[in-house]
Amino acid sequence: MRNFWKVKSHRIMLCAALICLLAAGICLKLFQNINEQDVDQSAAHRWKSGKQEFAQISVFLSPQENWTEADRKTLLGQIRTAFQENSITNESEQGGDDRLLLDCYSCETKMTLVHGKSTAEAVVTATGGDFFYFHPQLWLSGYAYSKDDIMQDRIVLDKELAWNLFGSSNVEGMSLKINDKTYYVAGTVDRRKTDADIAAYGENNRAWISYSTLVSEEEKPPITCYEIVMPNPVNGWAKEILTQSLAPEQKEITLLENSNRAEFLQVFQDLGKFAKRTMITKAVKYPYWENASRIRDIYREIYLFLAVLFVIYPCGLCIACIVRIYRFLCRVVLPQLKERFS
């Protein structure tokens, strides 16, 4: 036993174990970095105050469901009824029961934006509720429009679209037209630079306007994404309430809980469904931020799988050393102790 570390093969095994532990640590660090990039799925964490637990749920709806703001109001009524039935109140001293939930909704459509002689095609996200709380932007100038604005005629542009129309990214307050209706630029945002965000965002110019402005036009596109942060006193309770209210199994609706998608246990469970999760069995289209999160889900699973793989050898070596020490004690030390005290 005393010559164990003098054997060359043993030193090689120890070095290999240390290298594996280092590799596992790197994988876990990359796992953590991926989680920090997923700001679109962190609203529940940012909204949480005190010990009360919250969950962030995303609902993706097919256009054929024709989900509207009236349906949203009905859903919120059902959720508040569930709060009353389960005696759920705001445990924070701030905000009263208004802090019990936060939601937003959106849909995407392609539109032509015009400023003078400049014209640009863009994917326009029509938003309602607290959209920019759920989806923080990298602001280059200006700030977000609000659901409380008296005039719902402001628009947010990404940097590329602002340059195409105005030749600058600092264009707060300037006007443009969509379908002969005048909008005023609230602010300009930059694209995120992570691989997942670049891939999901695509090459399209993008803009954001109020959903109420869009529905005032002749076309009234249905809501295709609804997101909510609400109390989750028991794991899975919030998702169950939405499942009962929306019945997604019977409709073209996909419901996802985002609060725990980055937790180790959840990622381990998702590893077993790696192939199935790539399938889309309903007629829903994920927005760019969800596609970016799904790319990060794959990264998370790969990093965690590699971390576990790298840890197996050091753990096996540790167990082998413990067994070897145990046998040495039984074979050499214990007989000597018995002989000394007999």
Side-chain angles (χ1 to χ4, degrees):
M1 183 67 186
R2 70 182 62 174
N3 296 323
F4 180 83
W5 303 115
K6 295 182 179 181
V7 180
K8 183 178 179 181
S9 61
H10 293 168
R11 295 199 300 271
I12 292 174
M13 286 190 295
L14 177 62
C15 290
L18 292 175
I19 291 171
C20 286
L21 287 175
L22 178 61
I26 292 172
C27 289
L28 291 177
K29 178 60 177 176
L30 292 171
F31 182 96
Q32 182 183 358
N33 291 344
I34 288 293
N35 291 345
E36 291 173 355
Q37 295 171 8
D38 219 355
V39 294
D40 293 295
Q41 312 302 346
S42 65
H45 177 73
R46 286 181 274 116
W47 185 248
K48 180 179 177 180
S49 178
K51 296 181 179 180
Q52 192 167 20
E53 294 296 328
F54 287 83
Q56 180 179 351
I57 314 291
S58 294
V59 182
F60 304 105
L61 309 105
S62 168
Q64 69 190 52
E65 291 296 328
N66 200 29
W67 214 70
T68 64
E69 290 178 302
D71 296 305
R72 176 223 178 199
K73 291 179 181 178
T74 300
L75 176 62
L76 289 176
Q78 294 170 341
I79 292 172
R80 290 194 171 97
T81 299
F83 290 166
Q84 294 174 356
E85 292 174 349
N86 291 274
S87 302
I88 294 177
T89 58
N90 180 23
E91 297 177 7
S92 170
E93 297 179 356
Q94 299 179 348
D97 286 344
D98 290 340
R99 280 193 60 88
L100 273 176
L101 59 81
L102 185 77
D103 73 337
C104 73
Y105 50 97
S106 59
C107 67
E108 286 187 353
T109 184
K110 286 190 174 182
M111 305 182 104
T112 302
L113 286 69
V114 179
H115 171 70
K117 295 182 179 180
S118 300
T119 301
E121 297 288 331
V123 176
V124 177
T125 302
T127 73
D130 292 283
F131 180 85
F132 291 105
Y133 185 91
F134 281 79
H135 305 288
Q137 304 294 323
L138 302 175
W139 294 96
L140 298 175
S141 67
Y143 54 93
Y145 53 80
S146 168
K147 62 181 180 180
D148 299 320
D149 289 346
I150 297 176
M151 297 296 292
Q152 296 289 317
D153 60 353
R154 299 204 298 154
I155 185 170
V156 173
L157 310 177
D158 70 11
K159 180 174 68 173
E160 288 73 15
L161 182 56
W163 274 96
N164 288 343
L165 289 173
F166 300 99
S168 172
S169 60
N170 189 14
V171 293
E172 179 186 357
M174 299 189 74
S175 65
L176 57 84
K177 288 191 175 183
I178 302 176
N179 295 336
D180 293 325
K181 182 175 180 177
T182 301
Y183 291 82
Y184 298 92
V185 179
T188 308
V189 301
D190 199 1
R191 303 184 183 197
R192 297 195 190 119
K193 305 303 182 184
T194 69
D195 292 341
D197 287 302
I198 291 171
Y201 196 93
E203 298 297 326
N204 294 313
N205 297 319
R206 290 187 179 271
W208 296 260
I209 62 173
S210 169
Y211 182 83
S212 61
T213 302
L214 193 64
V215 298
S216 67
E217 304 288 343
E218 189 171 330
E219 292 186 6
K220 296 184 178 181
I223 294 168
T224 55
C225 178
Y226 178 74
E227 299 165 276
I228 186 169
V229 168
M230 58 186 284
N232 193 37
V234 179
N235 189 32
W237 183 85
K239 184 177 180 181
E240 180 61 26
I241 293 299
L242 264 70
T243 299
Q244 293 175 3
S245 300
L246 295 171
E249 303 87 358
Q250 306 167 16
K251 302 175 183 177
E252 294 298 309
I253 296 176
T254 299
L255 211 119
L256 295 176
E257 181 171 353
N258 298 305
S259 316
N260 61 354
R261 73 192 294 172
E263 295 177 359
F264 283 112
L265 182 59
Q266 184 62 46
V267 176
F268 267 122
Q269 293 174 351
D270 290 342
L271 270 171
K273 303 177 287 185
F274 188 84
K276 291 183 179 179
R277 289 197 312 108
T278 60
M279 297 189 301
I280 300 176
T281 58
K282 296 192 176 184
V284 297
K285 180 182 178 183
Y286 295 125
Y288 67 89
W289 59 85
E290 175 60 24
N291 281 328
S293 294
R294 291 172 74 84
I295 294 173
R296 278 187 278 266
D297 286 341
I298 295 173
Y299 285 157
R300 272 189 283 260
E301 292 168 17
I302 292 173
Y303 292 144
L304 191 57
F305 175 76
L306 290 175
V308 172
L309 203 62
F310 284 128
V311 165
I312 289 175
Y313 177 72
C315 288
L317 185 62
C318 184
I319 292 171
C321 289
I322 292 173
V323 171
R324 191 182 183 100
I325 293 171
Y326 174 77
R327 289 177 178 175
F328 174 77
L329 292 173
C330 292
R331 189 178 66 253
V332 178
V333 177
L334 287 179
Q336 291 179 356
L337 291 175
K338 288 180 181 179
E339 183 179 340
R340 176 174 297 182
F341 294 102
S342 60

